[in-house]
Amino acid sequence: NARALLLLLLLPLLLLLLSACAAASSGTVVANELHEGEALSLLVYLGDAGAATTRPSLVWQGDALTYREPFETTVQLEVPVPQGVRADNGTAVLSALLVKQGSRSATSRYALALTQHMAQKQPLRNLLREAEATPEQRAEAAQVVPHWKPKITLLLLVDHSAFLKEVMPPFLTPAANSKYAPPVLMTDAYLLSTDYIPVNSSTDKLPLELTIKFVTTAQFGWQLQVSQSLVKQKQWGFSNKDTDDVKRIMLESHPVLFYLVAVISLIHIVFDLLAFKNDIAFWRTVDSLEGISVRSVVLNSLFRVVIFLYLLDNGTSMLVLAPAGAATVIDFWKISRCFRNTSSRRPAAQQQQGGQQQGECDSVKVSAEADATAFWLMSVLLVPAVIGYTAWSLVYGRHAGWYSWLLSSLTSVVYACGFALMTPQLFINYKLKTVKHLPWRALVYKAINTFIDDLFAFIIKMPTMHRLSCFRDDIVFIVYMYQRYLYSSHTPMEPAATESKKSN
């Protein structure tokens, strides 16, 4: 029986091996049409995508290049901007042609848009000292104009391997003579959008840094995958800032770390969904406000609105806005659950019978008193700091407008007061000597995401206040865990007994 089971397990592998051998014996072998050490010429042209009748101009020509890897060179150019791009907001196109030396036909070619249409950056000003922009200036700043990409990388595949036509890499195209032309790839993956140069009617020439590399199949496939991923991100609604974050990780980190961040991001999304699910499940079953900081729930909802408006004002992508909006809706739903429990508790309290119901009502009362006390103490400490910061930002800071100043100030207050928002819940746990009222499953999922955010805080560029808020949440969760350990063997303290001890 064991031999039969082993044969049954190995049979699919044997069949797969036999089919691969049969395909190898009957398949078509495709080889590179270029030989190692062959002399090549590389021609780079610049043209206007909207001017079909205008011939592209030659901006660089590399002769006597040797088809051998590794090879890398960087060329600094000063190229004329096409008339259609300057006057009609057209799109500049950079084309590369690979030609065998002495031949007139191109072996490989590739084209890339050298300009991207974007709105210009809103000018910042001091709201108290500088005059407001005129309607003409605001209209000019809101215009969408071409932005020049001053740095392009050109990659040429160098590989002398022969492939079966049926299993060759997807970026290789076999010709009728069982040969393939080594592909060329131009990419702007090493350029951040903050480095783009706006183009206007008076712009005659602009700089262009062209880097030419001869790479292996693995390197070419990696760069092609990155370029296609960046294009997909644009199609999915990612903003330039989001794409720059990805590029910055790719530029400043090892490729292994890049893939690790991608996997961790996927895990972060999964735990976000699990936290939402368990948070909703917990609040659907809440029938008492015992041990719950209602003020924290209300303020957290208001803070969510501020962060959502701040993200919306900064043009954040829908992939970030959608979870923030969903969290805002859930928080306001929590408020409705809190007020429903508050209103339904009053008539019930008049008909309570038995010590257990009376004890529960007293626990709710102690929770509300502890919540109010904690918030009053934190308000005394933080309100002067908040007023001082907003005043300092107004006097010395630069903003796009009053709305932008208000949102940025409120967002900074949210990040700074997040710790204060969590403190009343810790105080309530201390007064009741129990943590059984907390949604621990949802808290654990959020805590895991917080530790993931700690990793992102070192890798992804973000505001300093947001980076500090990640470590702030770690401290609060550690205190939660300590309280869980400390009060695990305790029964909830009865408020009546507590007050009798105080009176004695």
Side-chain angles (χ1 to χ4, degrees), residues 347-425:
Q350 300 174 0
Q351 302 175 2
Q352 283 184 1
Q353 297 177 359
Q356 182 177 0
Q357 292 179 339
Q358 183 63 37
E360 180 180 351
C361 184
D362 291 341
S363 297
V364 174
K365 182 179 178 181
V366 170
S367 300
E369 292 176 352
D371 193 15
T373 302
F375 260 94
W376 182 82
L377 292 175
M378 296 307 300
S379 299
V380 170
L381 295 176
L382 290 177
V383 167
V386 168
I387 295 175
Y389 174 78
T390 53
W392 176 88
S393 177
L394 179 62
V395 174
Y396 296 102
R398 299 178 65 84
H399 309 276
W402 289 99
Y403 180 72
S404 176
W405 163 76
L406 181 62
L407 273 185
S408 60
S409 300
L410 289 177
T411 305
S412 300
V413 169
V414 168
Y415 285 137
C417 296
F419 183 83
L421 188 64
M422 301 176 183
T423 304
Q425 187 62 63

Side-chain angles (χ1 to χ4, degrees), residues 113-376:
L114 196 57
T115 55
Q116 179 178 338
H117 288 75
M118 301 187 305
Q120 301 187 65
K121 295 181 179 179
Q122 290 291 333
L124 303 180
R125 64 185 181 92
N126 186 286
L127 300 178
L128 298 180
R129 302 174 185 175
E130 299 178 18
E132 186 177 358
T134 63
E136 292 78 10
Q137 292 175 335
R138 287 197 298 267
E140 183 180 356
Q143 283 183 349
V144 176
V145 299
H147 282 66
W148 182 269
K149 302 175 183 178
K151 184 178 180 180
I152 298 296
T153 302
L154 190 150
L155 306 173
L156 173 63
L157 173 65
V158 178
D159 194 335
H160 304 286
S161 304
F163 300 94
L164 287 174
K165 186 176 180 180
E166 293 77 13
V167 294
M168 64 190 307
F171 47 81
L172 298 180
T173 304
N177 59 351
S178 297
K179 299 286 185 178
Y180 68 85
V184 176
L185 173 67
M186 287 193 296
T187 177
D188 58 354
Y190 300 97
L191 182 67
L192 304 179
S193 63
T194 52
D195 299 325
Y196 290 2
I197 303 174
V199 180
N200 52 46
S201 58
S202 61
T203 307
D204 294 329
K205 291 185 177 182
L206 285 173
L208 177 61
E209 179 181 310
L210 187 63
T211 302
I212 298 98
K213 293 182 180 180
F214 291 0
V215 296
T216 62
T217 302
Q219 293 171 331
F220 189 90
W222 154 256
Q223 295 292 344
L224 181 61
Q225 183 180 2
V226 169
S227 300
Q228 293 174 346
S229 299
L230 294 176
V231 172
K232 286 292 183 183
Q233 289 181 7
K234 292 290 185 182
Q235 296 174 352
W236 291 344
F238 275 78
S239 64
N240 287 326
K241 181 180 179 301
D242 298 327
T243 306
D244 284 349
D245 288 338
V246 176
K247 289 182 178 181
R248 192 173 286 106
I249 297 174
M250 183 178 61
L251 291 172
E252 300 174 358
S253 307
H254 193 273
V256 175
L257 182 59
F258 178 78
Y259 280 111
L260 179 63
V261 170
V263 173
I264 292 177
S265 300
L266 180 61
I267 297 174
H268 192 286
I269 294 174
V270 172
F271 280 114
D272 262 339
L273 295 176
L274 290 174
F276 280 149
K277 172 182 174 295
N278 286 276
D279 208 16
I280 293 173
F282 170 80
W283 280 92
R284 288 181 63 183
T285 59
V286 167
D287 55 1
S288 172
L289 298 181
E290 177 186 1
I292 295 177
S293 175
V294 179
R295 289 176 175 82
S296 295
V297 175
V298 174
L299 278 183
N300 189 61
S301 302
L302 298 178
F303 286 177
R304 292 275 192 186
V305 172
V306 171
I307 293 177
F308 179 78
L309 293 177
Y310 179 75
L311 295 175
L312 189 64
D313 184 59
N314 282 269
T316 310
S317 70
M318 288 301 298
L319 291 179
V320 179
L321 277 177
T328 304
V329 173
I330 291 174
D331 281 340
F332 275 96
W333 173 74
K334 291 179 186 178
I335 294 177
S336 68
R337 295 288 302 177
C338 288
F339 283 105
R340 182 181 303 177
N341 288 324
T342 303
S343 60
S344 62
R345 193 175 71 244
R346 292 171 182 171
Q350 300 174 0
Q351 302 175 2
Q352 283 184 1
Q353 297 177 359
Q356 182 177 0
Q357 292 179 339
Q358 183 63 37
E360 180 180 351
C361 184
D362 291 341
S363 297
V364 174
K365 182 179 178 181
V366 170
S367 300
E369 292 176 352
D371 193 15
T373 302
F375 260 94
W376 182 82

Side-chain angles (χ1 to χ4, degrees), residues 367-477:
S367 300
E369 292 176 352
D371 193 15
T373 302
F375 260 94
W376 182 82
L377 292 175
M378 296 307 300
S379 299
V380 170
L381 295 176
L382 290 177
V383 167
V386 168
I387 295 175
Y389 174 78
T390 53
W392 176 88
S393 177
L394 179 62
V395 174
Y396 296 102
R398 299 178 65 84
H399 309 276
W402 289 99
Y403 180 72
S404 176
W405 163 76
L406 181 62
L407 273 185
S408 60
S409 300
L410 289 177
T411 305
S412 300
V413 169
V414 168
Y415 285 137
C417 296
F419 183 83
L421 188 64
M422 301 176 183
T423 304
Q425 187 62 63
L426 299 176
F427 190 61
I428 292 174
N429 300 340
Y430 166 74
K431 295 294 288 185
L432 295 179
K433 298 295 187 290
T434 180
V435 293
K436 66 180 182 63
H437 46 269
L438 296 179
W440 278 104
R441 185 171 296 181
L443 281 176
V444 168
Y445 289 139
K446 292 179 180 179
I448 294 175
N449 274 347
T450 298
F451 294 129
I452 293 176
D453 290 337
D454 294 343
L455 174 63
F456 287 159
F458 291 103
I459 298 176
I460 298 177
K461 183 180 180 181
M462 61 180 64
T464 304
M465 295 296 292
H466 187 79
R467 182 178 285 112
L468 293 177
S469 70
C470 297
F471 301 105
R472 171 207 70 197
D473 295 343
D474 294 342
I475 297 174
V476 173
F477 182 73

Side-chain angles (χ1 to χ4, degrees), residues 100-119:
K100 292 183 182 180
Q101 195 151 5
S103 175
R104 293 186 177 182
S105 59
T107 300
S108 301
R109 64 182 66 209
Y110 194 89
L112 176 72
L114 196 57
T115 55
Q116 179 178 338
H117 288 75
M118 301 187 305

